[in-house]
Structure formats: C-alpha cells, structure tokens
Amino acid sequence: MQTATPLHPTRATPRIAIVGAGLAGAACARTLASSGAQVTLFDKSRGIGGRLSTRRTVWTDALGVDQPVQFDHGAVGFEAHSLAFQAVVQQGLADGWIARWAAAGGDHFVAVPGMPALCHALIGSLDVHVHTGEPVTGLHRIRGGWQIERNSGLWPGRFDQVVLALPPAQAAPLLRPHATGWSEAAAQVPMQACWTLMAVTDTPPGPAFDLLQPTRGPLASIVRNDRKPGRQATPGHAVWVAQASAAWSASHLEDHPAGVSEALRDALRAAINPGGEVRWCHSTVHRWLYARPARVPLGTPGCWWDAARGLGVCGDFLVGAHAEAAFLSGLDMAHAVLSAPATRRTAGSGAARFART
C-alpha cells in the first residue's frame, strides 16, 4: 500500500477522486489528468487493473525448484470496435504492451506481460496519484467538495468531484447517503458471478489448443495461459485458466472453495485428457462476485453525473458486458466532468478526448 501524502494543489486545479482502478477508472483518470486536473485513484486491491487481472505466484516442481507462473484470471482478452479504444490498442501494439491473440479468432488482443498492463499504460505517463490496498468506506459531502474515508480514517484534503468506477453493488452503499435513486438503481443491477480455476499440469497428450469453449458441463472457457502472447512457458507443463459458466457459478456461489476446485478440476481433466489422468502441479480457485453484467443495457447513458454535487458513476454495467464497455464508460465520465462549468474554467485544453464512436 502506498503511503498517504496530503494534497496541496493550487486553487485553480480541479481535484478529482476516482474510486476503482479498473479499466473504467483508468480511462477516466487518463482523460481528466491529461486535461490538467489533479486526479487521485483509489482501489482496495494491491494493484490496479480490476477485472483485467493477472495473478502471479510460484509452484514447486518435482526437483524442488520454484517455478514462477502467472494466470490471467479475470478478462482473458478483449476486442476493440470503437474509434476511441482502437486508438489505444493501436498505440499499445506499436509500443509492445498489447499483442494480437490469434487463438481467440478475429481481432482479439491481450495486454503484455499481464492484463493490468493496459490500465498501467493508460495512466503511466500522467501525474495520477494511485493509492491501493485499502477500500473506500465512505463519502462525506463538505462545504465546497468531498472527503474520502477509508478504513484508516479520513483522507487528508478535499476533492472537488468524486467518481465511483466500481461494480454497482459496491457503489450502492457509498451512494446511499447522497443519491438515493442512484443507490437503489445500482443495487438492482444484475451481475453474474464467475468461479475461476487456475492450474498447472503436465503437458497433456493429444493436439494442443489455446482456447476451448465447452458447450456443456461447468466450464464456459478453458485457456492455455502460457500459450498467450508474452506469457512465460515452462517446458513439459501447461498453465490453465478455466472459467465456470454463469449458471454453474450462480448455483455454486456459496460452495466451499475445495469443493469448487474439485468439480472444476474434474471438468478440466475431462476436456484436456478425456478418459485419462492429469498430474496436478498447482491449482487454486478464485470467485468473482461481479464478473460481468447479466445483460447488455438498452438506452442507458454511458455514465451517471450530477454536476451540482460533483458526483459521478461509471462502469461496464452502463454500457455492456465486455472490457471495451468499461473503457467507454470511463471516457464518457471524464467528458461529463470536464463539461461541468467549474471544471471547464480551471482544466487545461489538452485533454486526451478520444472520439467515442
């Protein structure tokens, strides 16, 4: 967790807090910071990326040697259809922090060396204050702005605007004291959960595959993570990320992780070595409570913004069930903030305003 440092901006500089450092929060932070605003990004996790997540760990081989491994256990890849996101992807391809993923078919991409690299690249060259490792527990409206509360207490200083770039169920309690209607609407947004198995096995017999999407059983997708671009491979071994279907995850939502692991390992074994055995070198599971919106919104604005309060909400649940939707919502949120009179008067003219088409 980074050390808290009190903010002392000039009075002319808009001070904006963004709660949530996934793709929506990073896209919003990028545009606001490049406009001249002072942006502080908060996230409860140890790093940024949100559901663009890569877990790094170590497993021990038969010779007792520790082997590093990584699992892209959130979004396994992404596409780019809008001009705005295509511009980011093209820049990433040119600079090497995005690669094409041919196995997924069509124009699919992954961030390199791990999925959070996309969020890091969006804000990496900008003066964005990032504070991770502790959840935001409250928003307090004060004269002239907002204060942020975390488990350790009130954050020093005041913010002119606050943006929540969180799954709707997590945004709802923070909104309740200030925007009851938004809080109730957010609490009612259906989000799908996802159990994810991360495993290392001996290389299975038979033809190798990079991506498999079973049509029956618990698993919705199986990815050979070590065969994705920019990922490290260990000779003689395979690295797997297997994500359960939304229906299976919902029906086993509160199951003990050990039982979930056994069921998903059985399903993975049946897919990669039918009728045979698999030697497990490492395995663990992760439960995403808010993996993706249950349905694509129709006619929903890309963000919620109350200029009078200086309060906003963004996230994929307002646009669609994919990574690009989170980016576009964050972009819409930044443009809404920059359109507010108080922000327009003080922000510079150099905002990175991608066309949202």
Side-chain angles (χ1 to χ4, degrees), residues 4-10 15-17 38-42 129 131 155-159:
T5 303
L7 307 179
H8 299 291
T10 65
R15 294 158 292 193
I16 303 169
Q38 186 178 82
V39 179
T40 303
L41 197 56
F42 296 93
H129 303 265
H131 300 280
W155 185 261
R158 173 183 62 82
F159 296 99

Side-chain angles (χ1 to χ4, degrees), residues 206-254:
F209 66 86
D210 293 0
L211 172 66
L212 184 65
Q213 295 173 310
T215 58
R216 61 178 62 185
L219 296 176
S221 71
I222 303 171
V223 175
R224 267 289 299 268
N225 207 86
D226 55 318
R227 291 173 63 91
K228 291 169 67 175
R231 274 56 179 175
Q232 182 177 359
T234 302
H237 295 87
V239 179
W240 306 97
V241 173
Q243 295 183 328
S245 68
W248 193 92
S249 296
S251 63
H252 298 272
L253 190 63
E254 301 300 335

Side-chain angles (χ1 to χ4, degrees), residues 309-334:
R309 288 191 178 96
L311 179 64
V313 179
C314 61
D316 60 350
F317 73 98
L318 292 168
V319 179
H322 45 83
E324 185 177 10
F327 174 87
L328 293 175
S329 181
L331 197 63
D332 283 351
M333 184 76 264

